[in-house]
Every structure is written in structure tokens, then in C-alpha cells.
Amino acid sequence: MDKVVVITGAASGIGKELALTFAREGAKVVIADLDLKAAQETALEIDPASQRALGIGMDVSNEEQVENGMARAVETFGRLDILVSNAGVQIVAPLVEFDFEKWRKLLSIHLDGAFLTTRAALRQMYRQNSGSVIYMGSVHSKEASPFKAPYVTAKHGLIGLAKVVAKEGAAHGVRANVICPGFVRTPLVEKQIPEQARALGISAADVVKTVMLRETVDGEFTTVQDVAEAALFLAAFPSNALTGQSIVVSHGWFMQ
């Protein structure tokens, strides 16, 4: 895959696995993350010679940082073929107790971040007349869970954004799709387990068994590798036959 891919939130979790996977397939990879040091370390892990990987610091909710970071990616590698909008956080609380500033923070990272990185990417992709935008949604792009009001709202919103990008981008050779993973045992999910246990008054083991994995067909977490394979599939798809779509990767938790 002789492509240039920018992945946000790529210094850890799903994003890092995406970066490693795209790099193994031959892509040049830009690791954009709030944690500059971790982004640079991931880039060096991928390519110690610093020829095929670049780590940059980026707060995706900051317009200037996004514009500068995306410009640097293009300046470094000469083009931009794939954007994976992956950066995200989780904050869990009952809706009636949810702090407005925390609501705004979560939506800003997920939705403002997706908008800002998409806008910057599309300018380059339109010049090239080609590109693929992939949003990291969730089963919560399709379903709701208690205590996750802003997260569910944001993940639903990414599907709407992808559909608009698919409509607007088609004439410029740009496709847009959403990956909707089930629970992946990343640090973000590990943090949720005790939070939900406290909120629901049950054990951590019961959160995993009766909340997170209850609806799967095999009682298994989705893996970062599962998600990376879906991203490769979407990025490499050759035509507009697959655009404006959302693919659920959840061990059967949600079936369309």
C-alpha cells in the first residue's frame, strides 16, 4: 500500500494498532496525538530511520493545531491519501448529573475534531482527486447505553458527517465510511469497567459479562486487530460502491 495515512489518537490503543498495521502494509504513517512524546515514540517504533513515519502533537479540537499538523503531514510526505479520525475520550455519568463542561469537552474532541481534521484533509484530497476518510465510530453509533449520553450522541453524529462527506466528496474521488467497534479492551475501556461497576453497583467481572459482552455471539472482546483489518478493507476499497456506510465490528453485539 503506497499511501500516506494520518491517524489521530494514534499513540495508544486502537489508533496505535492502526498505525502499526498500515505501516506493515507499506503506507507512510502520520501519528497525530495529544501526547507529542508518545506520538514520536510510536513513529520511531514503526521506523527508526524516520523515513516512513512521523509523530506530531495535535489537539484535534484546536483549529490551529489541526491546520498546522495536517499541513506538516503533507509537506513531509507530499500527499494525503487516508485520514482515520480516531481520537476520542469517554466520560461516564448519569445524564441528570452530567457536568456541562464535560459534555462540551467530549463533543469537541469527537465532533469538532472530526470536522477539523476532515476539512483539512479534504482540501488536499480534492487537489489529488482521491482519498478515503474513515471515522472511528462505535456500536454506540447505532445503540445507546446508560451513562454515556455525550459519547452516544457524538458517535451517532459521526455517521451523519460521513454521509455528507461521501455526498460532497464523490465528485472529487473521496470516499467516507465509519467503523463501529464493539468493546475493545483498550485503556479507555479498562477505565470504564470500574466506573460502570460503581455506577451500577455490581462487580467489575459482572460489568464485563453482563454489560459489555452480554450481546456478543461468543463472549469475546473486539480486538484492536479486528478494527485494523476493517480499516485496511475500507481504505483499499477501489470504488464509490462503498461510501457513506458504517461497518459494525463487534462479535455480533449489534447486527444490522
Side-chain angles (χ1 to χ4, degrees), residues 122-197:
L122 288 181
R123 290 169 179 156
Q124 177 62 28
M125 290 175 176
Y126 283 9
R127 284 192 287 269
Q128 300 167 184
N129 202 40
S130 66
S132 176
V133 180
I134 300 170
Y135 298 100
M136 195 56 61
S138 167
V139 167
H140 288 109
S141 298
K142 310 281 188 175
E143 283 280 4
S145 290
F147 314 123
K148 297 183 180 180
Y151 188 82
V152 171
T153 300
K155 292 302 188 183
H156 273 67
L158 290 177
I159 288 182
L161 178 59
K163 289 178 178 179
V164 173
V165 175
K167 294 276 189 180
E168 293 188 9
H172 306 278
V174 176
R175 297 177 298 106
N177 294 286
V178 186
I179 300 173
C180 299
F183 283 104
V184 182
R185 202 143 193 178
T186 61
L188 186 130
V189 167
E190 291 288 357
K191 177 175 175 287
Q192 288 180 57
I193 294 172
E195 290 175 345
Q196 291 214 34

Side-chain angles (χ1 to χ4, degrees), residues 18-81:
L18 290 169
L20 294 169
T21 300
F22 274 102
R24 282 196 298 269
E25 293 295 316
K28 297 181 178 73
V29 182
V30 178
I31 296 95
D33 201 278
L34 190 62
D35 186 336
L36 172 59
K37 184 173 183 288
Q40 292 172 333
E41 288 172 351
T42 299
L44 287 172
E45 181 180 341
I46 290 170
D47 179 18
S50 299
Q51 298 298 306
R52 302 187 63 84
L54 171 68
I56 59 175
M58 183 187 292
D59 175 352
V60 295
S61 65
N62 181 296
E63 183 176 14
E64 182 178 7
Q65 288 190 32
V66 170
E67 291 290 328
N68 291 342
M70 298 296 276
R72 187 177 171 206
V74 174
E75 288 165 7
T76 301
F77 293 125
R79 60 185 294 115
L80 173 55
D81 301 292

